[in-house]
Amino acid sequence: MEHFIVSARKYRPKNFEDVVGQQAITNTLENAIKNNHLAQALLFTGPRGVGKTSCARILAKKINQQDLENSEEEDFAFNIFELDAASNNSVDDIRSLTDQVRIPPQTGKYKVYIIDEVHMLSQAAFNAFLKTLEEPPAHAIFILATTEKHKIIPTILSRCQIFDFKRIGVLDAKNYLKKIAEKEAIAADDDALHIIAQKADGAMRDALSIFDRVVSFSGKELTREAVTQNLNVLDYDTYFGMTDLLLENKIPDVLNAFNAVLAKGFEGHHFINGLASHFRDLLVAKDTATIQLLEVGDTAKKKYLKQAEKASIPFLMQSIEKANQCDLNYRASKNQRLLVELSLMQIASITFDGEKKKSANYIIPATFFQALSPAKKKQTTTTSKTPEQPDVKTTPTVAPAKVVKERPVLKNIGRLNKQPSKYSLKGFNQQTNVKKKVVEENFDSHPKDAFDEQTLQTLWKSYVDLLFKKGEKSMASIVGTDLPKLQGKFTINFTVPNKLMEDQFKKGRPKLLNFLREKLNNYGIAIEVILNEKIEKKFAYTPQEKYNKLKEKNPLLDKLRQTFELDL
């Protein structure tokens, strides 16, 4: 079997022209060699895999080639010394290096010392290196390379000419991968190479390693599907599909799509970050002046331009804000999936026109989708039997005008508890009648399952706990003063001891009513408040009151206190 050489080694730059994405630095170094204006101590700093060591080796070779004729074939290996500071970081290693510096080169004019990962040198080694670095022999040039410039002491930095290598752009990395694919006779999709370049995060060495890995997986045909499957990344289609659902206010479909993403093994944090970036790209695609900021392939760019026409700028701005807020709260959240789902539901409700006035965190009520669900539509179909035509399905005839009139009723489902405008005298006088009318009109076709008093009281207690968790302690105390009684089939009686508690309970009654209706699957429930100021005080607040309560339950407690002469 033929020995395989990874692309990162096989296609390592041998000339400055081969270095990707660092034109400013390579041009500076070439001009410095030509003009004999090269410093004797250089520091190459920047992220991993951007060409620091490669540039150092090319520079070391070019320096001596400039001074000798017919030297293109010479590599001047005897004039180039590489030291890995990660494993040779002691004072003795640096002293051995400084001793070698004094010896002039046998061929060529310069001896070049490349010290990689120089930030790993110890403090004592740095100090031992200072004098040599400041006043080296005329034949010596030092090239230091590091990924962490901040760890190098200032006295070393002040003696070096610093070159900051930047991350390699996505388009530059993609074009270089395209050249390599052509050399290797690999048919690669433009979008596939773009995903590899994005995944590399500015490091050319990482991009080449990923390229080798994907080629091993898919062979000579490099497709976008193969890359996304092998790298386990979410492709554009996932975000395009999700955005279409969000724009169409389809919250159930949005939640199912997000569940499918989680089922593939992706984290909600990764998904919401990708969705925010997708919204940003759509915002960029809205204006022809900013399309150049869209770092995607040609096929994906057409999709962005098409979807950008559907999404308005206010929608995109609010969506980005909510996605970023979810990103900030994700790590601190105890229920991270719920946090992402709430954010998606809020984004899907931005363009919903069923409410005239919506809060910042508005979510379309679930009853809206229940009313529009296929199960509800099937209820309109009945089966009638006649002697002439048995088992024939017939649909009641409904005039088109009636359907149009009933449609606004669906939108009112989300506004059952909305007060009429207080600035309208007519609305103020008819407020109670309007609320009852809306409830009666909208909930006739909704389920009204039977329930017992024990189930009701259990849900009542859970609602009290929910109020405490939300911080609504005042309302929780009022609701928890007594347990409700079931009067008839669907009427709930709740007794309060004073007028103030009655008024406060009525303010929070709509939310409680919605909670019970959803949990009991019964939309015919009504809560009646009964004021009874003769109710005996049930709660003990002072130590004496608490003691009296305990004494009522166990009379021997008082005898115990008297026997041992205990205080309250």
Side-chain angles (χ1 to χ4, degrees), residues 19 26 68 115 168 200 282 452 511:
V19 179
T26 55
L68 294 177
I115 305 178
I168 298 172
L282 288 175
D452 55 17
K511 292 183 179 179

Side-chain angles (χ1 to χ4, degrees), residues 322-362:
K322 292 184 183 298
N324 285 341
Q325 191 63 37
C326 178
D327 177 28
L328 293 173
N329 297 334
Y330 190 86
R331 293 300 180 193
S333 175
K334 292 184 178 180
N335 193 338
Q336 296 172 335
R337 174 171 180 165
L338 179 60
L339 175 67
V340 179
E341 289 176 338
L342 286 174
S343 300
L344 291 174
M345 288 190 285
Q346 291 171 8
I347 294 172
S349 304
I350 292 174
T351 57
F352 181 68
D353 59 353
E355 292 282 338
K356 292 182 179 178
K357 295 181 180 179
K358 298 185 292 187
S359 63
N361 297 324
Y362 173 79

